[in-house]
C-alpha cells in the first residue's frame, strides 16, 4: 500500500514509518519541522520513502500527496511535554483543529475522487483524562466527562471528525489511542518552556527521560512528582508501531477504535516517600490482559454500551483492544 503520513518527523512516526517500510509499504512523509527543527531519520534515503517538506494545514498540498495514496495517517499536531500543554493551551486547540480539518478535507476528496481507502486518526490516551475506570476500555469515551486539557479535548475532537466524515461522506476510518510512548529519538520541542526540578533542568517534561537525566547527573535526593506512587503503562515505540501497522493493514479495523498499550506494568517499584513511608506502584488490575490484535484478528468485537444521556453525542466506534505485548 501507499501510505501518506503527516507529522512524519515526529517521535512515534519515526518508529512507525520504519515499521511500514520494513513491511514493504510505500510511505510519503509530510512535515514542516516545526516541532524539533530539522531532523534526520534512518530511512530518509529508503527507496520506498518520499519526504515532502510542507505544512499539513495546506489542503492543496495534502490533496496532491493523496492523489494515488491508499491510506492517510493524520499524525501531525502541536505537541510537547506537560509544560508545553500549559504554555500553548489555546494554540494546541486552534492549530490542531486546522491541521485535522485539512487532513479530513483531503481524505474526503481522495476517497471520493481517487482511491483512498481510509484515514487513520492518531488520537491519544489523553481522551481518557477524566476516566475513573481502570483499566480503561475504548468505550469509556462514551461514559465519562470530556478531557480537562485543551490537548486532550482536541484529540477527542479528532474522533468526532472521523464520526462526522463517515456519517456524511462515508469516509472509512480507524482510530488509534497510543499510551505513554517511550524510546529513543525524541528531543525537546522548540518553544517548550525550561523547567527545573531541584537543581536539574528537565529534559522535556516527560517522566522517563527526566528521571534518567536526574540519575545520570547525580541528583540526590531524587526529586519526583507527588509521593511517587502514580501508575503509568509505558509502551515502547517499536511496539506501538507494530500495533499501528496492523490497524492500517487489517480490513477488520475499519471504523474501529483501539487502545495500544502494554497490558500491565513490567514490574513494581518501591521507595521511601517524603512522609517516611514506603510507596509502591503496582499494576492497577489483576484482570488478564485483553487478547492481542494479531494477524488474524481473533479478538472478539464488543458492542459498545448505550451511552448515558448528555447534551452531546459521543463517537460510538465499535471497539477492540490492541495489546502489543
Amino acid at each position: 500500500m501507499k501510505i501518506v503520513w503527516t507529522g512524519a518527523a515526529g517521535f512515534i512516526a519515526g518508529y512507525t514509518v520504519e515499521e511500514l517500510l520494513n513491511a514493504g509499504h510505500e510511505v510519503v512523509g509530510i512535515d514542516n519541522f516545526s516541532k524539533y527543527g530539522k531532523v534526520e531519520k534512518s530511512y530518509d534515503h529508503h527507496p520506498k520513502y518520499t519526504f515532502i517538506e510542507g505544512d499539513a494545514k495546506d489542503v492543496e498540498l495534502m490533496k496532491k500527496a493523496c492523489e494515488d495514496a491508499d491510506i492517510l495517517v493524520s499524525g501531525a499536531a502541536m505537541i510537547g511535554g506537560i509544560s508545553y500543554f500549559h504554555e500553548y493551551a489555546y494554540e494546541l486547540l486552534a492549530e490542531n483543529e486546522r491541521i485535522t480539518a485539512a487532513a479530513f478535507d483531503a481524505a474526503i476528496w481522495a476517497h471520493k475522487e481517487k482511491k483512498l481507502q481510509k484515514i487513520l486518526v492518531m488520537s491519544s490516551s489523553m481522551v481518557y483524562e477524566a476516566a475513573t475506570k481502570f483499566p480503561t476500555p475504548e468505550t469509556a469515551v462514551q461514559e465519562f466527562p470530556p478531557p480537562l486539557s485543551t490537548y486532550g479535548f482536541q484529540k477527542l475532537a479528532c474522533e468526532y471528525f472521523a464520526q462526522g466524515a463517515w456519517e456524511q461522506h462515508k469516509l472509512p476510518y480507524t482510530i488509534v489511542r497510543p499510551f505513554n510512548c517511550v524510546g529513543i529519538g525524541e528531543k525537546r520541542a522548540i518553544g517548550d518552556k525550561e523547567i527545573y526540578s531541584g537543581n536539574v533542568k528537565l529534559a522535556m517534561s516527560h517522566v522517563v527521560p527526566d528521571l534518567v537525566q536526574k540519575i545520570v547527573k547525580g541528583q540526590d535526593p531524587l526529586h519526583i512528582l507527588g509521593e511517587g506512587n502514580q501508575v503509568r503503562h509505558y509502551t515502547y515505540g517499536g511496539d506501538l508501531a507494530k500495533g499501528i501497522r496492523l490497524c492500517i493493514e487489517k480490513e477488520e479495523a475499519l471504523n474501529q477504535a483501539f487502545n495500544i498499550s502494554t497490558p500491565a506494568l513490567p514490574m513494581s517499584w518501591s521507595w521511601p516517600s517524603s512522609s517516611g513511608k514506603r510507596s509502591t506502584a503496582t499494576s492497577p488490575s489483576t484482570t488478564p490482559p485483553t487478547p492481542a490484535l494479531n494477524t488474524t484478528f481473533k479478538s472478539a468485537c464488543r458492542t459498545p454500551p448505550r451511552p448515558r444521556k448528555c447534551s452531546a453525542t459521543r463517537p460510538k466506534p465499535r471497539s477492540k483492544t490492541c495489546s502489543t505485548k
Side-chain angles (χ1 to χ4, degrees), residues 135-205:
T136 310
E138 286 88 342
T139 51
V141 294
Q142 305 162 29
E143 302 169 12
F144 300 112
L148 302 176
S149 67
T150 56
Y151 176 77
F153 189 88
Q154 198 280 323
K155 282 300 183 182
L156 182 60
C158 291
E159 301 188 13
Y160 276 93
F161 271 88
Q163 180 191 17
W166 168 251
E167 289 182 1
Q168 183 175 348
H169 300 287
K170 298 305 176 190
L171 172 67
Y173 66 87
T174 298
I175 295 167
V176 295
R177 300 172 184 144
F179 279 66
N180 305 313
C181 182
V182 294
I184 61 173
E186 188 170 22
K187 299 167 59 179
R188 178 190 291 273
I190 295 174
D192 209 348
K193 187 176 180 180
E194 292 186 353
I195 295 178
Y196 278 82
S197 178
N199 62 333
V200 176
K201 183 171 67 176
L202 298 183
M204 55 188 70
S205 297

Side-chain angles (χ1 to χ4, degrees):
M1 289 190 290
K2 185 172 184 178
I3 301 162
V4 175
W5 189 297
T6 66
F11 181 39
I12 293 178
Y15 285 97
T16 313
V17 170
E18 186 171 42
E19 174 76 18
L20 293 170
L21 292 171
N22 290 340
H25 299 295
E26 182 180 354
V27 180
V28 176
I30 300 175
D31 207 294
N32 63 357
F33 298 119
S34 61
K35 181 177 181 181
Y36 302 129
K38 293 280 186 177
V39 296
E40 294 183 358
K41 299 292 187 180
S42 60
Y43 46 77
D44 280 346
H45 303 292
H46 192 286
K48 288 192 173 184
Y49 181 68
T50 303
F51 180 76
I52 300 172
E53 184 174 352
D55 193 336
K57 299 192 302 293
D58 186 336
V59 177
E60 293 307 311
L61 180 148
M62 292 290 296
K63 285 183 177 180
K64 185 175 181 180
C66 291
E67 279 185 338
D68 59 347
D70 301 297
I71 306 290
L72 171 60
V73 178
S74 181
M78 284 184 66
I79 184 174
I82 297 300
S83 63
Y84 193 94
F85 287 178
H86 299 290
E87 189 78 7
Y88 301 101
Y90 171 76
E91 290 182 33
L92 281 168
L93 184 61
E95 187 74 352
N96 286 348
E97 285 291 277
R98 299 181 190 109
I99 294 170
T100 302
F104 274 91
D105 287 348
I108 291 167
W109 171 83
H111 181 63
K112 288 183 175 181
E113 305 295 334
K114 302 297 179 179
K115 65 170 189 172
L116 192 80
Q117 298 173 20
K118 72 172 179 179
I119 184 169
L120 184 134
V121 179
M122 292 292 292
S123 184
S124 168
S125 59
M126 287 288 287
V127 300
Y128 302 126
E129 191 176 353
T132 56
K133 181 179 180 181
F134 307 102
T136 310
E138 286 88 342
T139 51
V141 294
Q142 305 162 29
E143 302 169 12
F144 300 112
L148 302 176
S149 67
T150 56
Y151 176 77
F153 189 88
Q154 198 280 323
K155 282 300 183 182
L156 182 60
C158 291
E159 301 188 13
Y160 276 93
F161 271 88
Q163 180 191 17
W166 168 251
E167 289 182 1
Q168 183 175 348
H169 300 287
K170 298 305 176 190
L171 172 67
Y173 66 87
T174 298
I175 295 167
V176 295
R177 300 172 184 144
F179 279 66
N180 305 313
C181 182
V182 294
I184 61 173
E186 188 170 22
K187 299 167 59 179
R188 178 190 291 273
I190 295 174
D192 209 348
K193 187 176 180 180
E194 292 186 353
I195 295 178
Y196 278 82
S197 178
N199 62 333
V200 176
K201 183 171 67 176
L202 298 183
M204 55 188 70
S205 297
H206 290 329
V207 173
V208 173
D210 286 338
L211 281 176
V212 170
Q213 180 172 238
K214 290 175 184 179
I215 293 169
V216 169
K217 292 186 176 180
Q219 187 181 70
D220 186 16
L222 189 66
H223 287 240
I224 58 174
L225 294 174
E227 295 294 311
N229 56 4
Q230 300 92 332
V231 175
R232 299 289 294 274
H233 283 224
Y234 298 102
T235 312
Y236 171 56
D239 292 331
L240 282 177
K242 292 175 184 177
I244 294 169
R245 175 177 60 79
L246 290 173
C247 288
I248 289 173
E249 294 174 340
K250 296 300 177 179
E251 292 183 6
E252 296 92 330
L254 289 178
N255 295 4
Q256 307 260 355
F258 296 90
N259 292 341
I260 306 185
S261 175
T262 50
L265 287 175
M267 63 185 70
S268 296
W269 299 81
S270 179
W271 55 86
S273 67
S274 58
S275 63
K277 299 179 180 179
R278 295 198 69 80
S279 296
T280 302
T282 57
S283 177
S285 172
T286 56
T287 304
T290 305
L293 172 67
N294 55 38
T295 55
T296 56
F297 251 84
K298 292 183 179 178
S299 56
C301 176
R302 302 189 301 275
T303 302
R306 296 178 66 86
R308 298 176 180 175
K309 290 183 179 180
C310 59
S311 58
T313 303
R314 297 290 183 89
K316 298 186 289 184
R318 293 162 59 225
S319 301
K320 296 179 182 179
T321 300
C322 173
S323 172
T324 59
K325 288 287 188 178

